[in-house]
Amino acid sequence: AQTVTQSQPEMSVQEAETVTLSCTYDTSENNYYLFWYKQPPSRQMILVIRQEAYKQQNATENRFSVNFQKAAKSFSLKISDSQLGDTAMYFCAFMKQVNGGATNKLIFGTGTLLAVQP
Amino acid sequence: DGGITQSPKYLFRKEGQNVTLSCEQNLNHDAMYWYRQDPGQGLRLIYYSQIVNDFQKGDIAEGYSVSREKKESFPLTVTSAQKNPTAFYLCASSIRSSGANVLTFGAGSRLTVL
């Protein structure tokens, strides 16, 4: 069974600085997808970034980028120029294909609570 | 605006009562999901549905039931058989394809058993 591990329950960063959140996963699959979701105090889950395992290039979305190391099964999230609005719980998630690719189930890590300090 | 609506936002239940959480989407998505969120445990999949009139158990389906009579709706019933129902429940939906389907989430429902 696939598992996702986030070893940092809480982190803190000063506004405008850079922070990296760690995520490792375990799978025997070769084709899969990885995601980072953000859950602010409103508790609305918001997609931050996604990565296809077959792509070697790391995904980037504005201030958010990932360091995807497939052999090491590592998928860390880097937030540059941190803003107060980045304060949230961040979840790493793994997606495999089931039922011939018709449905995709997300497996989540336990989350990292990030606090951006002014 | 397209999105997912969950209701109620807060729900209180006495022990032994069944309750139903509503989830409606107007995104024309085929697949819908129910997740449970507990502190320190992330999100865990309860049930999911690929198409109307079809659904499958997730990792923690015991004590829950669902129906999918319409494409737009995927209600979750928390039955009295669920031993620890107090939690935050999230509904999500996605298109069906072989690619990296992004899940869109609702705002959640907080269930408290008194």
Side-chain angles (χ1 to χ4, degrees):
Chain A
Q2 287 78 9
T3 58
V4 177
T5 302
Q6 294 179 251
S7 59
Q8 306 152 314
E10 296 183 21
M11 293 192 71
S12 181
V13 64
Q14 292 296 122
E15 196 174 5
E17 302 208 334
T18 296
V19 64
T20 298
L21 308 183
S22 300
C23 173
T24 59
Y25 57 94
D26 186 24
T27 185
S28 58
E29 307 279 339
N30 190 50
N31 295 317
Y32 51 87
Y33 308 95
L34 296 163
F35 302 80
W36 279 97
Y37 276 87
K38 165 185 175 180
Q39 187 179 43
S42 67
R43 306 204 75 172
Q44 177 78 53
M45 293 285 285
I46 302 165
L47 176 69
V48 176
I49 200 166
R50 65 179 170 180
Q51 174 82 41
E52 291 86 351
Y54 63 84
K55 289 186 177 179
Q56 293 186 337
Q57 186 173 6
N58 289 325
T60 299
E61 287 288 342
N62 300 314
R63 297 183 295 107
F64 299 88
S65 61
V66 299
N67 183 5
F68 173 47
Q69 301 291 327
K70 190 173 184 180
K73 297 180 182 176
S74 171
F75 184 61
S76 61
L77 175 69
K78 185 173 81 171
I79 306 174
S80 304
D81 186 25
S82 296
Q83 300 176 359
L84 296 178
D86 294 334
T87 293
M89 181 73 85
Y90 287 81
F91 291 98
C92 179
F94 172 97
M95 176 181 282
K96 65 176 182 177
Q97 294 188 3
V98 296
N99 298 338
T103 296
N104 297 273
K105 294 177 12 178
L106 271 176
I107 300 168
F108 286 87
T110 53
T112 295
L113 181 60
L114 176 67
V116 179
Q117 307 292 342
Chain B
D1 289 339
I4 298 179
T5 301
Q6 288 187 241
S7 62
K9 189 170 183 178
Y10 299 98
L11 185 61
F12 297 88
R13 184 193 102 175
K14 294 182 179 180
E15 284 193 25
Q17 288 181 335
N18 292 354
V19 293
T20 298
L21 307 180
S22 171
C23 178
E24 303 278 333
Q25 55 99 359
N26 61 3
L27 300 167
N28 201 32
H29 285 170
D30 288 300
M32 297 187 73
Y33 313 80
W34 273 105
Y35 283 88
R36 170 179 171 143
Q37 184 176 14
D38 295 283
Q41 295 194 51
L43 280 71
R44 293 179 291 168
L45 183 64
I46 305 172
Y47 268 97
Y48 65 101
S49 168
Q50 303 176 50
I51 55 174
V52 175
N53 293 322
D54 182 66
F55 48 83
Q56 288 81 41
K57 293 182 179 180
D59 300 318
I60 55 166
E62 184 176 352
Y64 299 97
S65 66
V66 293
S67 63
R68 188 84 188 276
E69 297 176 1
K70 298 187 301 181
K71 186 176 184 178
E72 302 79 18
S73 178
F74 191 41
L76 174 74
T77 296
V78 184
T79 75
S80 56
Q82 169 52 233
K83 300 301 181 188
N84 184 19
T86 293
F88 187 66
Y89 292 87
L90 283 161
C91 178
S93 69
S94 73
I95 62 172
R96 285 178 64 201
S97 77
S98 58
N101 298 326
V102 174
L103 268 62
T104 300
F105 285 85
S109 293
R110 174 73 185 177
L111 172 63
T112 302
V113 173
L114 303 174

